[in-house]
Amino acid sequence: MLARVLTAGVLGIDPIPVAVEVDCHPGTSYFSLVGLPDQAVKESRDRVSSALRNSGCRFPRGTVIVNLSPADVRKEGTALDLPIAVGMLVASEQIVGERLTEYALAGELALDGSIRHVPGALSLAIGARNQGLRGIVLPEANVIEAGVVEGIEVIPVATLNEAADFIAGKRDIAPHVTDVKIIFEQSRRHVPDLTDVKGQAHVKRALTVAAAGGHNLLMIGPPGTGKTMLASRLPGILPNMTFDEALETTRVFSVAQLTSARNALVVQRPFRAPHHTASTVSICGGGAGTLPRPGEVSLAHNGVLFLDELPEFNRSALEVLRQPLEEGVVHIRRAMYSVTYPSRFMLVVAMNPCPCGCRTDPRRQCRCSQGDVQRYMSRLSGPLLDRIDIHVDVPPLSFNELSTGQTTGPTSAEVRATVQEARDLQRERYKGRFACNAHLDAKAVQTSCLLGSGSRALLEHAMERMGLSARAYDKILRVARTLADLDHSETITEQNIGEAIQYRSLDRQLF
């Protein structure tokens, strides 16, 4: 008898419809699994065999052919265990597949017949909905994550027997619906407050501007001036994630196997801080497996990617940042696959002004020669620095600034409220075309960043004196637009342009 079980695979974060076709007929004892399975899928035979036997069922006798359709697409992972097992039960007439045409199945089988968590459940549920199915049968550990998808039933099962009884129509299982509001409320994480950082009022202002417009930020200064402390407090002032942002970010984390039953939905903006020894593959994605895995640029999607000690990173690892910074996606190509991951993030980097770090410290003497400084700065390419909107100097603090016991400046909650207001203005202005000012394309910059005669003259003078590139020109306009939004102004003033120009320290060759 022939049985056809619907499921899905994941390529990148996109679901791919997959049909598991099982044909059982009398004859010589023979088992064949075809359809480009990887090693994990090939090993499903042993897992399925033990799970069937320990669940009170039997492995089909005779000839068993399992085809994974479409046969020209590589299949990987253990999520096909459950559909293969149910297909064998139906094909060998041990159960009736009454609901096979309405529900997809996915899950890894343990040898005792229990069903384990699988990665990519959110994408699998979206894939089942895209196929027009009524629902999807998933392990209990995955249903909180998949339950946020509207328009489809998510059926939780703990064992193979439960799944078989449900498909046969012998058991009714209530679909799981995830309360997104409760998850958002319960997932508020504690982050250090901005007032913990003494002094550095102008750097806190730069952080506020960067968060309000989604701008990339570079902090440069001697060691011990608070660059890392300031960056670690950035998540506390970022605006709240929208549901669509949380959904897309969760899909990336799910594919990377970073979700769990307790953290099924990513509702806080990611903050990724890889070490400077990170490889190019770990930054952009890829790996030795059959399908490329998301890297740090994708795991930071809708959040922050923080690179401390920027010149210490591998040059090739830094250069791969250029495409995601410009396009918001990263393309990973292999011989048989081309995978695209979303990679729209804020890039925040910190560095010293020279190898010893004392070049801009008035209290310590720099030991570096001019050649040492040039070689140190040459590790960073001009095109990469050009893509960073805001450059800010972080000077050393005085004794009085360090010894005071009073908090300085607004709290993270107060800054976040200001940032949220600015983001709301941008969301209303762009009507969903762009999430923030940093994402504006060239045409939107022309229509949304209009200058008066005084602002235009100031910017023209800066362009001529500093030799700014066309990309730097656009960056100044985007930052000025954010400064105007923070002032609740529709027009960009000369003060906005002047402050935006001050945030181009490297262009002014101060370092």
Side-chain angles (χ1 to χ4, degrees):
M1 181 178 175
L2 178 65
R4 188 171 186 268
V5 182
L6 301 176
T7 183
V10 180
L11 181 61
I13 64 170
D14 300 320
I16 302 174
V18 175
V20 177
E21 300 170 337
V22 182
D23 181 27
C24 297
H25 58 270
T28 305
S29 180
Y30 174 76
F31 177 86
S32 178
L33 179 60
V34 297
L36 289 183
D38 74 342
Q39 188 61 35
V41 180
K42 292 177 181 178
E43 293 173 351
S44 65
R45 181 190 187 281
D46 296 324
R47 292 190 297 271
V48 169
S49 176
S50 295
L52 288 173
R53 183 174 62 256
N54 292 319
S55 299
C57 306
R58 59 176 175 82
F59 193 84
R61 299 185 179 90
T63 300
V64 179
I65 308 293
V66 179
N67 177 47
L68 309 177
S69 176
D72 60 343
V73 176
R74 187 80 173 175
K75 319 298 186 310
E76 71 166 14
T78 57
L80 295 174
D81 288 1
L82 181 59
I84 290 174
V86 171
M88 287 184 176
L89 292 176
V90 175
S92 60
E93 300 182 350
Q94 298 181 60
I95 65 170
V96 177
E98 184 175 320
R99 293 170 169 163
L100 276 184
T101 58
E102 298 179 292
Y103 291 86
L105 295 94
E108 176 186 339
L109 287 176
L111 300 186
D112 61 355
S114 59
I115 303 177
R116 293 173 173 164
H117 174 277
V118 293
L122 182 55
S123 294
L124 295 176
I126 293 174
R129 184 184 63 183
N130 294 343
Q131 294 181 61
L133 300 177
R134 180 178 175 181
I136 182 170
V137 179
L138 287 171
E140 288 182 340
N142 287 115
V143 295
I144 297 178
E145 172 189 334
V148 302
V149 181
E150 298 179 350
I152 189 171
E153 296 179 2
V154 178
I155 308 298
V157 291
T159 65
L160 175 58
N161 283 332
E162 287 185 16
D165 289 345
F166 177 79
I167 291 299
K170 297 180 180 180
R171 182 196 299 252
D172 290 326
I173 301 176
H176 177 87
V177 179
T178 301
D179 192 328
V180 177
K181 184 178 180 180
I182 292 179
I183 290 182
F184 270 83
E185 292 176 351
Q186 293 179 345
S187 299
R188 303 295 180 194
R189 68 184 177 199
H190 172 74
V191 293
D193 199 272
L194 201 58
T195 56
D196 296 338
V197 183
K198 302 294 182 64
Q200 309 294 12
H202 71 291
V203 186
K204 295 177 182 178
R205 167 67 173 177
L207 282 175
T208 303
V209 176
H215 301 289
N216 303 321
L217 173 69
L218 181 147
M219 294 180 287
I220 184 168
T225 54
K227 300 185 294 295
T228 304
M229 283 186 66
L230 287 160
S232 65
R233 280 145 181 82
L234 184 57
I237 67 174
L238 291 174
N240 298 325
M241 290 185 78
T242 64
F243 175 71
D244 289 338
E245 288 176 332
L247 204 62
E248 193 169 31
T249 304
T250 302
R251 292 174 67 183
V252 177
F253 273 66
S254 179
V255 169
Q257 303 185 37
L258 295 178
T259 57
S260 64
R262 296 183 60 184
N263 301 296
L265 189 64
V266 180
V267 299
Q268 299 296 320
R269 296 190 181 275
F271 183 84
R272 306 292 299 183
H275 192 258
H276 61 78
T277 57
S279 66
T280 303
V281 171
S282 68
I283 295 292
C284 71
T290 306
L291 293 179
R293 297 301 183 187
E296 294 293 339
V297 295
S298 298
L299 295 173
H301 182 57
N302 290 321
V304 177
L305 178 63
F306 175 54
L307 304 181
D308 201 3
E309 303 295 342
L310 183 66
E312 302 300 329
F313 278 81
N314 188 307
R315 178 70 177 261
S316 62
L318 294 179
E319 291 306 307
V320 299
L321 297 175
R322 291 162 61 174
Q323 181 192 37
L325 285 175
E326 200 71 26
E327 302 178 12
V329 296
V330 59
H331 303 289
I332 304 173
R333 302 187 184 279
R334 295 292 182 267
M336 298 179 62
Y337 294 100
S338 175
V339 177
T340 300
Y341 285 111
S343 302
R344 180 71 72 182
F345 56 88
M346 279 181 60
L347 177 64
V348 179
V349 299
M351 60 179 289
N352 297 330
C354 65
C356 75
C358 301
R359 189 181 179 209
T360 58
D361 192 336
R363 296 171 299 186
R364 290 186 289 180
Q365 184 176 1
C366 178
R367 304 186 303 272
C368 306
S369 66
Q370 187 64 29
D372 293 335
V373 176
Q374 290 179 351
R375 283 189 293 271
Y376 181 76
M377 296 299 292
S378 66
R379 298 178 187 177
L380 310 177
S381 69
L384 176 62
L385 293 177
D386 227 13
R387 287 170 168 81
I388 299 179
D389 309 41
I390 298 175
H391 311 155
V392 60
D393 178 26
V394 187
L397 299 176
S398 66
F399 176 79
N400 290 335
E401 288 175 312
L402 290 172
S403 61
T404 179
Q406 298 178 348
T407 59
T408 58
T411 65
S412 291
E414 294 170 341
V415 175
R416 184 171 62 249
T418 302
V419 168
Q420 188 68 58
E421 290 179 3
R423 284 289 185 103
D424 291 341
L425 285 175
Q426 295 165 42
R427 191 172 291 110
E428 177 65 25
R429 179 188 302 124
Y430 304 128
K431 306 295 184 182
R433 293 178 56 223
F434 306 101
C436 55
N437 290 327
H439 300 169
L440 298 180
D441 57 23
K443 184 176 181 180
V445 168
Q446 294 178 0
T447 58
S448 302
C449 304
L450 301 178
L451 302 178
S453 58
S455 302
R456 182 181 298 274
L458 178 60
L459 182 55
E460 181 181 2
H461 179 70
M463 290 284 294
E464 293 177 354
R465 289 287 301 273
M466 298 165 59
L468 299 177
S469 67
R471 183 178 287 115
Y473 169 81
D474 282 345
K475 297 293 186 185
I476 290 175
L477 288 179
R478 292 186 179 100
V479 173
R481 177 68 266 171
T482 300
L483 291 167
D485 290 337
L486 287 170
D487 295 337
H488 297 88
S489 172
E490 279 300 318
T491 59
I492 298 176
T493 65
E494 293 182 42
Q495 289 78 13
N496 299 145
I497 289 291
E499 185 175 352
I501 293 172
Q502 290 298 314
Y503 289 138
R504 303 297 300 182
S505 300
L506 293 179
D507 293 326
R508 292 184 283 124
Q509 299 181 352
L510 293 187
F511 304 101

